[in-house]
Amino acid sequence: MPRGERPIDTDDEVLSQFAGDLRRLREKAGSPPYRELGKRAHYSAGTLSDAASGRKLPTLAVTLAYVRACDGPVTEWDRKWHDVAAELARRRLAAPAAAEPPYLGLAPFGPGDAGRFFGREDVVDLLLDRLATEHLLVVAGPSGSGKTSLLRAGLERSGRPVVFLQPGREPLAECAARLAPLTGIPAARLRAEFAADPGRLHLRVRQALTTGSTELLLVVDQFENVLTGEDDGFLAAVAGAARAPVRVVLGLRAEFTDVAARHPALSGALRDGLIPLGPLTAGQVRAALVRPAADVGRVLENALVATLMAEVTRQPGALPFATEALRRTWRTGSLTLAGYDATGGITAAVVSQAEAVYGRLSAVERAATRDLFLRLVTFGESTADTRRLVPHDEPATPSVVAHFVGARLVTADRAGLELAHDALIDGWPRLRAWLAADRDALRVHRRLTEATRLWEAADREPAALYRGGRLDEALTWARQLDARPNAKERRFLDAAARHRDAEETTHRRRRRLSAAAAVSALLAAASTATAAVLRHRRCGRPRISTGMKL
């Protein structure tokens, strides 16, 4: 027997009544399976099932096709559909407009944003479950995966007081400053205590919580900054604090998990307390796009949702830009595809962010930015340019990488760096100008990059070095003012030039030796010939008689 339909999925009385009437119409027709109904209506079974789910009002065309397939009264259902559509439109217009768009866009979620943080509820539930029994957890994911928003907004549901840190140059001092209000002790004094004895962090928190039975949740985001900076005792202090009544959650970029695992204080947490943060599923993306508007009584047009879903599921780093585009679309007053297109969509959001970051850079950083973004593009041959994954062992200026990773324009994971969205290639005029300036020179550089990578992989085997015209071409490019070979590429070119010089020296030496040998052979031959002539002359000379005939 066919399985029964799922319960109607809405608390909206109007939509529930409409969906229920559709289901009763199908029952009256003998409850044909949706696959059979789809053949009659010329719509997919999923579309017809969704029409009677109550989640949304189906289109008029789908509704009437459903009714015809069930031999229902088409005219009556046409009127019913328009009545429901009019009621939903009236309610949308009557709903008070939100003072601000419910989308944060490119800004990360904060502690006060838990009510509009959607899409990662399953990870939040997992974190809260694990925190009930464990004291140190590590949330690891690639840049752009939403770690900061998850830690700041999602963990607000824990019910514990939360101290949130993003360590910079002096993490121990920042930790002391955050804990000073809780302990009532001046930050400078706490800093000195923690530096002298990392165990004092746990002691001071425990003393501050003695008046109640509550626990403290210490959340440290961007923990990779601690691993790559000068260790001032912060790592030991945090690891030592992860015991009752303190629970610790660390946010870590995925490519730094191996580095963290080498620290004895963290190896156990990475083995037993690691929570990997993968890409959002299609359902999670949809919730992140649709739920914030729905919670304030607004509905996104289906065509708009489909367009944004296609953008984000194809390019996981695009979600923040999709929500930024929705912020702009919200201000047009029309949450439709037309309103979205009128704002320039995701492309406008990406390009404006890129220009904003570029405008804040120094002249040196701007030159490094050009090099970074050119490396992040694969040049098409009679095809469009595309994103390129840049391995971490292909050097780039760290500060510039940090600027664009922080702005969500570049993503970083274990594999390397990548542009967050194709719109940077297609829509950012500055990058397009860089790409169009000298395609031949760019191709020379890209071939050099790949040749350097192969040479390094072959343990710098001389046979993998450039020779002949390819080396001349690369050296000519490297002498240009705007050429920026990195250290590895420069090393490759220097090695190739030295190898060529050594080969030429060897060839010259061989030629000199060959010439000397030839001269020696000629001299030897000449000497032999001279000796032979002399011998011949001595042997063939007529004797002179000294006697006189009388």
Side-chain angles (χ1 to χ4, degrees):
M1 294 180 61
R3 63 183 181 183
E5 289 188 88
R6 295 174 57 184
I8 292 175
D9 187 17
T10 184
D11 294 327
D12 189 299
E13 184 178 350
V14 174
L15 287 177
S16 296
Q17 179 65 40
F18 189 85
D21 288 347
L22 280 176
R23 293 187 178 193
R24 282 185 286 275
L25 181 65
R26 175 171 167 256
E27 291 171 1
K28 188 176 179 180
S31 298
Y34 274 110
R35 183 171 296 178
E36 175 61 31
L37 209 63
K39 293 178 181 177
R40 301 179 194 175
H42 305 293
Y43 279 94
S44 71
T47 298
L48 297 178
S49 175
D50 193 54
S53 68
R55 288 191 292 269
K56 60 182 179 180
L57 180 67
T59 65
L60 178 61
V62 170
T63 300
L64 297 183
Y66 189 112
V67 171
R68 290 191 188 95
C70 294
D71 295 322
V74 174
T75 302
E76 178 183 331
W77 274 93
D78 182 283
R79 183 174 63 253
K80 181 181 293 190
W81 185 92
H82 279 94
D83 289 343
V84 172
E87 172 60 19
L88 293 176
R90 184 192 65 76
R91 283 194 290 173
R92 283 198 298 271
L93 291 173
E100 281 292 320
Y103 298 98
L104 289 182
L106 295 171
F109 287 79
D113 299 317
R116 49 180 172 173
F117 178 66
F118 299 106
R120 289 291 193 185
E121 292 86 348
D122 58 335
V123 183
V124 173
D125 291 341
L126 175 62
L127 262 172
L128 297 181
D129 287 345
R130 298 282 295 274
L131 282 172
T133 57
E134 300 180 46
H135 286 273
L136 179 58
L137 297 176
V138 180
V139 178
S143 65
S145 59
K147 293 186 302 300
T148 299
S149 295
L150 171 71
L151 297 177
R152 294 187 65 124
L155 288 180
E156 188 178 357
R157 288 173 43 195
S158 72
R160 304 174 178 90
V162 180
V163 173
F164 186 88
L165 294 175
Q166 279 187 330
R169 292 180 179 273
E170 297 184 7
L172 212 54
E174 294 164 17
C175 181
R178 292 285 187 177
L179 289 173
L182 178 70
T183 62
I185 300 172
R189 180 179 164 188
L190 285 177
R191 165 71 177 84
E193 285 187 6
F194 298 162
D197 179 6
R200 298 286 291 183
L201 173 59
H202 177 264
L203 175 64
R204 285 304 188 186
V205 172
R206 193 178 67 218
Q207 290 174 342
L209 297 176
T210 53
T211 56
S213 59
T214 187
E215 295 181 323
L216 176 76
L217 181 57
L218 178 61
V219 180
V220 186
D221 191 22
Q222 298 180 9
F223 195 70
E224 62 273 7
N225 293 340
V226 178
L227 301 175
T228 57
E230 295 183 5
D231 186 6
D232 63 350
F234 179 74
L235 192 155
V238 168
R243 48 199 171 94
V246 183
R247 300 186 187 271
V248 176
V249 179
L250 308 179
L252 184 67
R253 277 203 350 227
E255 66 268 29
F256 288 93
T257 52
D258 291 340
V259 178
R262 291 197 288 269
H263 289 266
L266 298 177
S267 58
L270 287 167
R271 183 183 63 251
D272 304 323
L274 179 63
I275 298 178
L277 198 60
L280 290 164
T281 65
Q284 290 171 328
V285 170
R286 185 180 183 87
L289 296 174
V290 174
R291 289 287 302 279
D295 274 15
V296 293
R298 300 289 298 275
V299 178
L300 273 63
E301 184 186 54
N302 288 339
L304 174 57
V305 175
T307 297
L308 291 172
M309 287 283 292
E311 290 274 7
V312 177
T313 52
R314 181 171 56 90
Q315 301 178 103
L319 180 59
F321 295 100
T323 56
E324 175 63 23
L326 282 173
R327 279 178 60 84
R328 301 176 181 211
T329 305
W330 181 278
R331 293 192 173 101
T332 69
S334 174
L335 296 179
T336 62
L337 184 58
Y340 167 83
D341 288 339
T343 67
I346 281 182
T347 297
V350 169
V351 170
S352 62
Q353 177 77 337
E355 274 298 302
V357 175
Y358 186 82
R360 295 192 292 267
L361 301 179
S362 67
V364 173
E365 288 175 324
R366 289 182 179 186
T369 296
R370 177 182 180 275
D371 177 59
L372 171 65
F373 275 82
L374 290 177
R375 290 180 182 276
L376 288 165
V377 177
T378 294
F379 312 124
E381 300 286 350
S382 302
T383 58
D385 295 336
T386 57
R387 291 179 293 166
R388 172 179 176 260
L389 180 68
V390 174
H392 287 296
D393 62 357
E394 186 174 316
T397 305
S399 62
V400 170
V401 172
H403 282 306
F404 287 96
V405 168
R408 306 189 182 195
L409 293 161
V410 173
T411 62
D413 59 17
R414 283 177 174 271
L417 305 173
E418 192 174 23
L419 293 177
H421 202 284
D422 287 336
L424 282 162
I425 300 175
D426 301 329
W428 191 16
R430 192 178 300 279
L431 179 54
R432 293 305 309 165
W434 291 337
L435 290 168
D438 189 346
R439 301 286 287 191
D440 291 337
L442 294 176
R443 289 190 177 94
V444 170
H445 188 190
R446 184 54 42 79
R447 287 194 294 266
L448 171 62
T449 300
E450 295 305 314
T452 301
R453 183 181 62 80
L454 293 173
W455 178 63
E456 294 276 357
D459 293 328
R460 303 185 181 180
E461 169 62 42
L465 291 169
Y466 272 172
R467 288 173 171 77
R470 182 59 59 87
L471 176 58
D472 291 336
E473 180 184 55
L475 290 172
T476 299
W477 167 81
R479 286 191 288 268
Q480 295 177 2
L481 291 177
D482 59 349
R484 292 179 59 87
N486 61 37
K488 287 186 177 182
E489 293 162 354
R490 180 70 68 184
R491 207 158 38 236
F492 174 87
L493 288 175
D494 290 344
R498 286 195 303 270
H499 187 71
R500 182 177 66 179
D501 291 345
E503 284 187 332
E504 289 179 351
T505 299
T506 300
H507 291 326
R508 285 194 298 269
R509 185 180 298 115
R510 287 174 179 170
R511 285 195 296 270
R512 285 197 300 267
L513 290 173
S514 296
V519 170
S520 296
L522 286 173
L523 290 174
S527 176
T528 302
T530 300
V533 169
L534 291 174
R535 284 196 302 271
H536 176 74
R537 287 179 178 176
R538 283 197 299 269
C539 295
R541 181 182 299 163
R543 293 182 179 180
I544 301 174
S545 178
T546 58
M548 296 181 64
K549 189 175 181 180
L550 298 176

